[in-house]
Amino acid sequence: MSDTHARTVAFSRDTMLPPVPPPVRETGAVRWLRENLLGGPLNVALTVLSLVAIWWALSGFLPWAWRGIWDASSLTECRARRDELYGPGVPAACWAIIAERWPQLVFGFYPQSGYWRPPVALAVFLVAVMPVLFPSLPRRMLWLLPPAPFVIYWLLWGGSLWGPATVAAGFALGWGVWLLARRGGAGAGLALAAGVAAAALWWWWIAGPLAGTLARGVPLALQPVLSKDMGGFTLSFVIGLSAIVLSLPLGVLLALARRSEMPIISTVAVVYIEIIRGVPLIVWLFTAQLLLNYFLPRGTNFDLMLRVIIMVTLFAAAYLAEVIRGGLAALPKGQFEAADALGLGYWQSMRLVVLPQALKISIPGIVNTFIGLFKDTTLVAFIGMFDPIGLTGSIRATTAWNGIYWEPYVFIAIVFFVVCYAMSRYSIWLERRLEREHRPAT
Amino acid sequence: MRATMWGAAALIVAAGAASAQTLNDVRSRGVLNCGVNTGLTGFAEPDAQGVWQGFDVDICRAVAAAVLNDPMAVNFVPTTGQTRFTALSSGEIDLLARNSTWTFSRDTELRLDFVAVNYYDGQGFLVPRALGVASAQELDGATICIQTGTTTELNLADFFRVNNISYEPVPIANDDEGQQQYLAGACDVYTTDASGLASVRATFENPDDHVILPEIISKEPLGPVVRHGDNEWADLVRWVFYAMVAAEELGITQDNVAEMASAPGDNPEINRLLGTEDEYGTMIGLDAQWAVRVIEAVGNYGESFERHIGEGSPIGLARGLNAQWTDGGLIYAPPFR
């Protein structure tokens, strides 16, 4: 068989040809360019158009930004320095306003000796939520979470540490009583009532005098800061992050309520969501600022920032509820039934089977809502609060800086972009991490 | 619908209940809640340290000096055009000093009291010199940048209707946008209060390329406002302001007030104002030294004007209508008698 075959072929090569490098147009940058930018006349045209557009945008912006003047104390001085350096009329940014006023854009009217406090509070917040955001961290770090809000409150608003500490102790006491009652065999309702009663009694009778006594003994106090003195990005972050943290649980509850089979609960949720969602945020902010005052007793001073945080939270919760409801609806009915078949109760099945999957599906929508919420904090400028946008107006009102526009806006835009981009990157990372469907079984 | 009516009823009751309480409220609180602009050059602006400065801000400081003996005991509440009057009638602020025009409907329907006029303004036009226009009568067919929802918008329509000429409005939201649009050439003319035009023009790169036309087409009397119904408080604010005005007329300044108040002088009106003769302070619920504190804190009307918006300041407004009546202006304090 092999003999016949051998005779039919005249020549058979028994050595390999040395490999030849691939053609230039099929490798590296050239191939990438050809395939991605120059593949066909339409793509060539689009590439040229895009390049022209990018050039047009950057050729104006970059020289302007690069030539920027950093040391001047007023716009007039900026213009004089520019004339001296580049000649009159040459576009040049006046970054001196950022150099002079950045503390105000970041901290508002926060006392200067306390500028370290908001960043430390932010760091405490980030460390505390770290174990929630990154499941690979040790679970023990979750213990940092409960005390964090009290520490952050103390850092931002100052005053005696013992105030927030005794309030926190009330929560701990209530939780402890609840735990003891459960261990002792009390029913869920009774244990809850006992816990709440213990905490209420503590706050009502003991917390105030105890905080006072402790403060006299060991005065651990920071200089108190009023909400109205917080401005700039401190204000944006306080409002944005509080609303983000508070609106997520509220949104989950609302989403579950809306899908509930109990008619009163689902009706209340539907009415709430539709009313909140049907009215623009700015109207709710005006309501918080103006209308509430008429209905509160005269002389009560219900902190404006607190009112705004509550309103923004309620607003975001309605949107989140719908996003999460989308996640719940996308879940196959079999999952609910499987949870029931395992004998899990409603809350158990939600916590262990349904919500983990529904929330995973909803991640892009949730983060989308959070990013929108964070940017919406700039709307408080319209009710006279000094968020970064509001501050640009009052900085411009000083004669030194009247007439300057782009520089503060560019600065604010960069900070917002960094924060929102970080959130977006995190959400993509989380989605990848939680990807289950197409991963090979291990 | 019914809820709205109840809301309106509650509003009226609340406004009515704001009776002769404000002075006591301020005293027991130890700080004056004063509504100001979120930022208007020369009138109200926080400096780099967050300390408020300005011509309107001085009114707040003067009242705080008279009532609380401390010009810094003021809680400045920044208000926008939408929130200012509600903030006042809801009791969030005790006094509004925010370049607000005194009009019929605000005084009556909104249940406010304008206690005095601290700046007589009027609407003017800013045009590029290159346009070659010398009078507002020649603006037929011009595009005009105008803030929506303000009295200036209505004044403009009135002016062009009366003169039977046409214009094309370019609506803008606020002063900042107006300046940008005007400089970018989106409109031929920018119109707002003349004081605003002067300060806007002063910030331009080439102020001489722009002119403010001679016509002033409206009356904009700006002044401090209090809630309707608390006459004692309204009297107090009114006479604190008039103390500043009278001080200028009588030649009392920040520098010489301590000396003039140390002993009764020849002029009985000065003596009455500075409390060296008679007991005028008690008539408005204050002590005899109230006016001395006001003038020590912010100076007389002319000094305050000069410091923040006058010809010595970067804004460089002439006194004009805001000169003392003895100099041909409208600033006129009733006698201290």
Side-chain angles (χ1 to χ4, degrees):
Chain A
M1 187 78 181
S2 58
D3 282 359
T4 28
H5 192 68
R7 250 173 249 130
T8 56
V9 179
F11 171 73
S12 173
R13 193 182 179 90
D14 51 5
T15 52
M16 285 291 283
L17 276 173
V20 175
V24 178
R25 41 179 287 138
E26 289 298 336
T27 52
V30 176
R31 177 180 173 199
W32 186 88
L33 276 177
R34 200 170 58 81
E35 284 187 354
N36 291 294
L37 298 180
L38 306 169
L42 179 65
N43 280 3
V44 172
L46 286 177
T47 302
V48 171
L49 269 180
S50 314
L51 284 179
V52 169
I54 293 172
W55 167 254
W56 179 78
L58 290 187
S59 65
F61 178 77
L62 285 183
W64 172 81
W66 179 249
R67 287 193 201 108
I69 311 284
W70 283 92
D71 51 338
S73 61
S74 72
L75 184 57
T76 331
E77 211 180 307
C78 248
R79 285 174 179 153
R81 294 260 306 134
R82 180 203 61 190
D83 290 353
E84 193 182 297
L85 287 171
Y86 307 109
V90 178
C94 182
W95 299 117
I97 185 176
I98 308 294
E100 188 187 291
R101 294 295 189 113
W102 72 266
Q104 217 166 41
L105 283 171
V106 174
F107 299 107
F109 304 129
Y110 213 84
Q112 276 177 10
S113 58
Y115 275 177
W116 60 274
R117 284 157 55 181
V120 171
L122 182 64
V124 170
F125 172 82
L126 291 177
V127 169
V129 295
M130 213 51 101
V132 180
L133 297 182
F134 299 101
S136 55
L137 290 172
R139 293 296 83 195
R140 226 173 300 154
M141 278 180 75
L142 281 172
W143 283 103
L144 291 173
L145 203 53
F150 302 98
V151 175
I152 291 171
Y153 174 87
W154 179 59
L155 280 170
L156 286 175
W157 278 273
S160 166
L161 173 65
W162 299 113
T166 47
V167 172
F171 280 107
L173 180 75
W175 181 71
V177 168
W178 175 82
L179 207 64
L180 276 180
R182 289 297 279 170
R183 292 256 169 86
L190 187 66
L192 187 68
V196 171
L201 284 176
W202 168 270
W203 287 325
W204 194 255
W205 294 108
I206 305 173
L210 179 67
T213 318
L214 285 171
R216 270 189 297 281
V218 193
L220 277 175
L222 288 171
Q223 182 193 358
V225 179
L226 298 174
S227 296
K228 75 177 180 71
D229 291 332
M230 289 178 206
F233 284 105
T234 305
L235 183 76
S236 298
F237 274 81
V238 170
I239 294 177
L241 293 181
S242 328
I244 283 175
V245 169
L246 296 172
S247 63
L248 186 58
L250 194 58
V252 171
L253 286 181
L254 276 170
L256 293 178
R258 186 160 185 174
R259 286 174 61 93
S260 165
E261 277 157 17
M262 289 181 261
I264 294 184
I265 290 185
S266 69
T267 313
V268 167
V270 169
V271 168
Y272 172 86
I273 290 171
E274 295 304 335
I275 289 182
I276 294 277
R277 225 169 33 145
V279 178
L281 177 58
I282 188 76
V283 174
W284 291 119
L285 290 178
F286 276 125
T287 310
Q289 205 227 353
L290 301 173
L291 220 57
L292 281 182
N293 265 1
Y294 282 114
F295 300 107
L296 294 171
R298 231 177 109 66
T300 41
N301 197 359
F302 188 17
D303 193 77
L304 179 58
M305 195 199 271
L306 190 59
R307 284 184 256 163
V308 168
I309 289 176
I310 292 173
M311 275 302 174
V312 175
T313 304
L314 297 180
F315 188 79
Y319 278 83
L320 277 177
E322 288 299 278
V323 169
I324 294 164
R325 191 169 66 97
L328 290 171
L331 215 55
K333 201 160 187 289
Q335 295 290 328
F336 294 85
E337 289 166 354
D340 287 345
L342 284 173
L344 297 177
Y346 177 78
W347 290 110
Q348 280 174 321
S349 71
M350 287 300 146
R351 188 163 59 87
L352 299 171
V353 178
V354 175
L355 280 179
Q357 302 183 63
L359 287 177
K360 196 202 88 186
I361 300 172
S362 323
I363 287 172
I366 292 175
V367 174
N368 192 26
T369 311
F370 284 169
I371 289 177
L373 159 67
F374 184 63
K375 291 189 296 181
D376 279 351
T377 56
T378 51
L379 283 176
V380 299
F382 290 102
I383 55 170
M385 288 178 94
F386 283 127
D387 84 307
I389 302 287
L391 269 172
T392 59
S394 60
I395 290 174
R396 231 186 337 259
T398 53
T399 42
W401 298 115
N402 196 328
I404 195 164
Y405 295 92
W406 300 109
E407 292 83 349
Y409 287 145
V410 167
F411 175 73
I412 292 167
I414 289 172
V415 176
F416 268 105
F417 177 79
V418 167
V419 174
C420 294
Y421 188 70
M423 281 200 252
S424 148
R425 286 285 103 182
Y426 170 75
S427 104
I428 290 173
W429 176 84
L430 193 62
E431 274 170 59
R432 293 239 177 86
R433 227 199 86 83
L434 297 177
E435 194 75 57
R436 287 278 183 275
E437 284 83 358
H438 308 296
R439 205 195 267 176
T442 46
Chain B
M1 194 60 219
R2 174 156 298 175
T4 327
M5 282 166 60
W6 278 115
L11 207 138
I12 289 163
V13 170
S19 58
Q21 271 299 314
T22 317
L23 180 57
N24 289 335
D25 286 352
V26 172
R27 279 222 176 97
S28 62
R29 202 188 304 130
V31 63
L32 173 77
N33 290 334
C34 197
V36 290
N37 199 309
T38 50
L40 179 66
T41 312
F43 286 84
E45 61 198 44
D47 68 10
Q49 279 72 46
V51 180
W52 286 84
Q53 315 278 353
F55 187 62
D56 277 342
V57 167
D58 273 0
I59 301 269
C60 306
R61 298 223 183 273
V63 172
V67 176
L68 301 167
N69 199 7
D70 177 8
M72 304 310 278
V74 186
N75 171 23
F76 288 101
V77 179
T79 56
T80 65
Q82 287 83 36
T83 63
R84 53 182 166 181
F85 297 129
T86 332
L88 183 62
S89 46
S90 70
E92 194 181 338
I93 54 178
D94 307 309
L95 163 67
L96 179 72
R98 189 200 178 277
N99 53 289
S100 300
T101 306
W102 187 349
T103 69
F104 178 90
S105 57
R106 284 174 180 175
D107 205 348
T108 56
E109 196 183 31
L110 288 183
R111 300 178 64 77
L112 305 172
D113 272 352
F114 286 78
V115 295
V117 176
N118 72 332
Y119 191 89
Y120 288 95
D121 215 332
Q123 188 176 343
F125 297 99
L126 180 68
V127 295
R129 196 176 289 280
L131 207 62
V133 172
S135 151
Q137 311 274 1
E138 301 167 25
L139 288 177
D140 195 11
T143 51
I144 302 182
C145 279
I146 176 82
Q147 276 191 57
T148 50
T150 59
T151 48
T152 50
E153 190 183 20
L154 308 173
N155 299 334
L156 184 73
D158 286 357
F159 176 79
F160 277 79
R161 202 174 82 187
V162 168
N163 287 287
N164 206 16
I165 49 180
S166 70
Y167 70 103
E168 196 182 320
V170 178
I172 52 164
N174 53 39
D175 259 340
D176 298 337
E177 195 189 336
Q179 292 181 36
Q180 279 299 77
Q181 296 283 31
Y182 172 75
L183 284 179
C187 48
D188 304 324
V189 185
Y190 180 41
T191 180
T192 187
D193 288 349
S195 63
L197 289 182
S199 61
V200 164
R201 181 170 170 269
T203 69
F204 287 173
E205 263 204 273
N206 305 303
D208 292 337
D209 292 352
H210 304 270
V211 282
I212 294 174
L213 297 180
E215 282 92 348
I216 297 293
I217 63 164
S218 73
K219 290 183 287 188
E220 308 283 345
L222 314 179
V225 196
V226 298
R227 265 185 303 280
H228 202 77
D230 187 348
N231 294 5
E232 283 77 9
W233 179 247
D235 286 346
L236 189 149
V237 176
R238 177 180 301 118
W239 285 97
V240 165
F241 171 69
Y242 281 139
M244 291 167 65
V245 174
E248 185 185 19
E249 190 185 341
L250 299 169
I252 309 170
T253 66
Q254 214 164 1
D255 294 331
N256 68 17
V257 62
E259 185 199 328
M260 289 174 94
S262 59
D266 302 333
N267 187 333
E269 187 160 16
I270 293 180
N271 294 347
R272 283 192 294 270
L273 179 62
L274 299 183
T276 51
E277 203 176 301
D278 295 339
E279 289 282 317
Y280 274 56
T282 53
M283 296 182 200
I284 52 172
L286 300 172
D287 63 346
Q289 296 291 306
W290 65 280
V292 180
R293 289 197 300 272
V294 167
I295 298 159
E296 273 177 346
V298 299
N300 65 37
Y301 179 84
E303 287 176 304
S304 175
F305 191 101
E306 203 53 40
R307 191 165 58 237
H308 298 298
I309 53 179
E311 280 171 327
S313 74
I315 303 171
L317 290 173
R319 286 294 287 269
L321 282 179
N322 298 293
Q324 288 281 341
W325 64 286
T326 46
D327 298 330
L330 291 175
I331 295 295
Y332 182 108
F336 276 77
R337 177 165 297 285

